[in-house]
Amino acid sequence: MATTLVTMPVTTSVREVLRCEHCLLVQFRTSNSMCRRCHKPLDMEEVPAPVEVIAQSEAPPSATDAGLRVANQVKDIRKARHLSQRQLASRMQVPRTYISKIENGKAIPTLGSLERLANALEVDICQLVRDGRSKHDEEVAEILADPFLAELALYLPQLEPLQRSMLLNDARDRARNSVRDISMVRRRTA
């Protein structure tokens, strides 16, 4: 944790400046030592790892985590659709500030708002509320649906790190070139 003491010239008192480990907000220490933005503790205590773990149970996601997940999904989908907040708000028939509050995690949309939001973004409502694990599982399933990539995935663990890196870099370059070529063809035909 980066801690810096700062002398305030007006009051001549010393206040501690901290950076939140979760949201990276730089702020003065609050009276309750909680972050002003994400409301998580500023002082991270190192908890010794348990020697033996019998069963790991996942804590249910809090409303704040669910709200931030929805916020990130809305922002990502809106940007992928090349929509401004104003355009999305117009489609939903709500003020632009409401979209801003949703995307910044300051407002959690109701089920009715989620449905209108999904319709405005032209996606299924499930895409707005899915978590990172389901998103990752979906992407892996989509990749492994291709027989060539599924066969290739079997051999990846056997490669040396350098070989794996070279293969993945080549695949990334080929994908970028393919996307670029497709967009150029679309521009010519349009």
Side-chain angles (χ1 to χ4, degrees):
M1 161 129 14
T3 303
T4 308
L5 293 179
V6 177
T7 304
M8 299 300 295
V10 177
T11 61
T12 64
S13 64
V14 176
R15 294 180 68 187
E16 192 174 12
V17 176
L18 305 166
R19 179 186 304 265
C20 177
E21 297 289 328
H22 303 283
C23 68
L24 304 178
L25 177 70
V26 176
Q27 59 195 307
F28 288 116
R29 179 179 294 281
T30 57
S31 59
N32 61 1
S33 291
M34 302 293 266
C35 176
R36 287 181 169 83
R37 181 184 292 157
C38 67
H39 306 289
K40 294 191 177 172
L42 290 172
D43 295 323
M44 299 295 292
E45 296 178 9
E46 291 188 27
V47 180
V51 175
E52 184 179 334
V53 177
I54 297 173
Q56 291 182 343
S57 62
E58 292 184 14
S62 68
T64 306
D65 293 341
L68 291 175
R69 194 168 46 242
V70 169
N72 290 333
Q73 287 293 102
V74 169
K75 186 182 283 187
D76 292 345
I77 294 170
R78 177 182 63 79
K79 287 184 177 183
R81 301 261 193 273
H82 304 290
L83 293 172
S84 67
Q85 287 182 345
R86 190 170 306 283
Q87 290 168 324
L88 180 58
S90 173
R91 287 183 178 191
M92 282 185 66
Q93 299 177 345
V94 295
R96 184 207 57 81
T97 55
Y98 181 60
I99 302 299
S100 176
K101 286 179 182 178
I102 289 173
E103 288 185 357
N104 291 319
K106 296 188 189 302
I108 299 175
T110 62
L111 274 175
S113 292
L114 273 176
E115 186 176 10
R116 289 178 28 218
L117 195 54
N119 290 337
L121 291 169
E122 300 171 349
V123 296
D124 188 31
I125 196 167
C126 296
Q127 285 187 290
L128 297 179
V129 294
R130 67 183 181 173
D131 62 348
R133 179 180 293 157
S134 65
K135 186 176 181 180
H136 178 268
D137 292 345
E138 226 174 76
E139 290 171 352
V140 168
E142 187 177 317
I143 290 169
L144 294 179
D146 182 332
F148 174 73
L149 294 177
E151 187 176 342
L152 187 62
L154 295 173
Y155 297 108
L156 280 177
Q158 299 171 6
L159 296 176
E160 297 291 323
L162 179 62
Q163 294 170 326
R164 187 177 310 128
S165 175
M166 289 171 55
L167 176 69
L168 294 175
N169 286 335
D170 185 51
R172 185 181 319 112
D173 293 342
R174 289 175 187 265
R176 283 185 188 143
N177 292 339
S178 176
V179 169
R180 188 187 67 223
D181 294 344
I182 290 170
S183 64
M184 289 176 66
V185 168
R186 286 184 181 165
R187 282 188 213 141
R188 286 185 205 149
T189 59

